[in-house]
Amino acid sequence: MSDDEFYEEETTSNTSKKGDEAFAKAKAGLKKSELDEQLKEYINEWRKQRAKEEEELKKMKEKQAKRKEIRAEQEKKLAMQKREEEEKARREEAEKKAKEAEEKKKRLEEAERKRQEMMAAQKEKGGKKQQAPALDARREMSKTKEQVEEEMKISLSIRIKPLNLDAMDSDELKCKARSLWDTIVTLETDKYDYEQRRLAQDYELKELKERQKIQLRNKAIKKGLDPEAFTGKHPPKIRMFSKYERRTDTRTYGDRKKLYEGGWEVVRAEMLEAMWKEKYDDWTKRPKARLPKWFGERPGKKAGDPETPEGEEEEMGGGDAAAEEEYEEEEEEEEEEEEEEEEE
């Protein structure tokens, strides 16, 4: 290839390269502008969506606030209604209690008026005080402590009238104070008398209980039971003849004790009796040991005792010889047994 041809090819390749670069740049510019436009569209679309969401959120918040206000109003109305109902119930309960107290006060006033009239009539007649019926006493005992205190306050308010001290002068006040003092003295005197009467009644009751205990003890002893059988909280147990027969046991303690006698105890008693008889026979058959013969005065002789006969001394000597022979025979037998054991 010549130089001219090579130069032409080189120039053509350079121009083609420049053209490619320019085309690529133009294409890149077009792509960038398209991308910018797409990005702008995306941003505008996102802003529109965001604005819609914010508007919806705002509407929801307004709706929630309205619901809260409505709920608060409803709760307020319910609380007011409940408070009114409670106040109404409390008012009705107070009216009911006041009505009951008024009726009770009227009833107690009537009873007090009747009691005063009865006491005045009794004072005029000079008779004794009549006892209240048992039903009223039982009703009084069944009342609670609060009811008793309430009735006591009402009765005191009826009996004790309020004093109008402003309308009284000094003489009237002194007279009223003296009458009140006399009333206090009489009440304290009655209180002391009632306390002493209660003490005397307690002593009498105690004495009666002791007498009753003594009578019950004697009754139990007569029936053959424990002395404290009838004095306890519960009655004595009824002893049955047996668990198979439904009838009471009339046997005495000695009869019941004989049921359990016999058996091994009887056999043991018989065996002990036989052993005792055998030992007693051996004891009676034993050789009687005599004292040795003494020259002179025998030991144990007292002044005025007779002399020992000659026959008794010989018998005593013969007995000693027999005892010595038996002792020697026993020693020989023992020696023979020891020798046999050593040989074995």
Side-chain angles (χ1 to χ4, degrees):
M1 178 183 275
S2 63
D3 295 332
D4 296 332
E5 291 176 358
F6 178 77
Y7 179 71
E8 287 176 1
E9 288 179 3
E10 189 176 355
T11 53
T12 52
S13 62
N14 289 331
T15 53
S16 62
K17 283 181 182 178
K18 288 178 181 179
D20 293 336
E21 289 176 1
F23 180 74
K25 284 180 182 179
K27 193 175 181 181
L30 288 170
K31 284 182 178 179
K32 191 175 182 182
S33 62
E34 288 176 1
L35 289 170
D36 291 340
E37 288 175 1
Q38 287 179 0
L39 187 60
K40 284 179 183 179
E41 289 177 2
Y42 288 149
I43 290 168
N44 292 330
E45 192 70 27
W46 176 78
R47 283 176 180 169
K48 287 178 183 178
Q49 192 72 23
R50 178 76 177 177
K52 284 181 182 180
E53 289 176 358
E54 286 178 356
E55 192 174 353
E56 288 178 359
L57 185 64
K58 190 176 180 181
K59 286 179 181 179
M60 287 176 70
K61 284 183 178 179
E62 289 175 357
K63 203 172 184 180
Q64 190 178 10
K66 285 181 181 179
R67 284 181 181 175
K68 281 184 179 179
E69 289 176 0
I70 292 166
R71 196 178 293 114
E73 289 177 0
Q74 289 177 353
E75 287 178 356
K76 194 174 180 181
K77 285 180 181 178
L78 287 170
M80 286 178 66
Q81 188 178 356
K82 189 176 180 182
R83 200 179 301 113
E84 288 175 359
E85 289 176 357
E86 287 178 356
E87 287 178 359
K88 187 179 178 182
R90 201 180 297 114
R91 206 164 40 246
E92 289 176 355
E93 188 71 22
E95 290 174 359
K96 188 178 178 182
K97 284 184 178 179
K99 192 176 179 181
E100 288 177 357
E102 189 68 25
E103 290 177 357
K104 190 182 284 186
K105 190 174 181 181
K106 286 180 181 178
R107 192 166 60 250
L108 290 171
E109 284 178 355
E110 187 69 22
E112 184 67 19
R113 187 178 58 78
K114 288 181 180 178
R115 192 181 70 83
Q116 294 288 346
E117 290 176 358
M118 185 176 66
M119 288 179 69
Q122 285 176 1
K123 283 181 181 178
E124 288 176 0
K125 290 179 181 179
K128 292 184 179 179
K129 186 179 177 182
Q130 295 179 358
Q131 291 184 352
L135 188 63
D136 295 341
R138 196 176 295 112
R139 193 183 297 114
E140 289 291 331
M141 290 292 289
S142 64
K143 289 179 181 178
T144 60
K145 191 176 180 181
E146 289 79 8
Q147 290 176 348
V148 172
E149 288 180 356
E150 187 180 357
E151 290 183 1
M152 184 179 68
K153 287 178 183 178
I154 294 169
S155 63
L156 286 174
S157 66
I158 294 165
R159 293 182 191 179
I160 302 170
K161 302 296 182 183
L163 296 174
N164 190 7
L165 299 175
D166 297 333
M168 291 183 181
D169 55 1
S170 60
D171 295 333
E172 290 178 350
L173 285 172
K174 285 180 182 178
C175 184
K176 191 67 179 177
R178 196 178 296 108
S179 65
L180 289 173
W181 175 255
D182 294 339
T183 306
I184 291 168
V185 169
T186 54
L187 290 174
E188 287 292 331
T189 307
D190 294 341
K191 180 183 174 184
Y192 178 78
D193 292 340
Y194 291 143
E195 286 178 353
Q196 294 299 319
R197 188 188 298 176
R198 184 175 64 82
L199 291 172
Q201 287 175 354
D202 290 343
Y203 179 75
E204 289 175 0
L205 284 171
K206 191 175 179 182
E207 190 175 355
L208 287 172
K209 284 181 181 178
E210 291 295 328
R211 288 182 186 175
Q212 187 182 18
K213 278 186 180 180
I214 292 167
Q215 290 176 359
L216 291 173
R217 284 195 188 101
N218 295 331
K219 186 178 178 181
I221 290 167
K222 284 181 182 178
K223 289 190 174 184
L225 299 172
D226 186 64
E228 302 296 331
F230 294 128
T231 58
K233 291 183 180 179
H234 307 287
K237 292 182 180 179
I238 299 172
R239 187 182 293 277
M240 307 305 291
F241 193 81
S242 70
K243 64 179 181 180
Y244 305 107
E245 298 182 29
R246 299 292 295 173
R247 64 190 182 92
T248 55
D249 190 5
T250 56
R251 294 170 297 181
T252 61
Y253 177 75
D255 296 339
R256 290 197 301 272
K257 189 177 178 183
K258 286 179 182 178
L259 293 173
Y260 302 99
E261 292 179 354
W264 171 246
E265 290 186 0
V266 175
V267 174
R268 183 170 175 271
E270 291 176 356
M271 185 175 65
L272 290 173
E273 186 70 22
M275 287 173 64
W276 183 83
K277 284 182 179 179
E278 186 180 352
K279 296 287 185 183
Y280 183 73
D281 293 340
D282 293 343
W283 172 258
T284 54
K285 290 177 183 178
R286 78 188 191 288
K288 294 181 180 179
R290 297 288 183 177
L291 291 172
K293 189 175 181 182
W294 291 83
F295 296 97
E297 190 176 340
R298 61 182 173 84
K301 185 181 178 182
K302 295 180 181 179
D305 288 348
E307 295 291 334
T308 305
E310 294 294 330
E312 289 185 6
E313 290 180 359
E314 291 176 359
E315 288 177 2
M316 183 176 59
D320 291 342
E324 288 177 1
E325 287 177 1
E326 288 179 1
Y327 182 70
E328 289 175 358
E329 288 176 0
E330 288 177 359
E331 284 185 350
E332 288 176 358
E333 288 177 0
E334 288 178 359
E335 288 176 359
E336 289 176 359
E337 288 176 359
E338 289 177 359
E339 290 175 359
E340 287 176 0
E341 288 177 358
E342 288 177 358
E343 288 175 0
E344 290 176 357

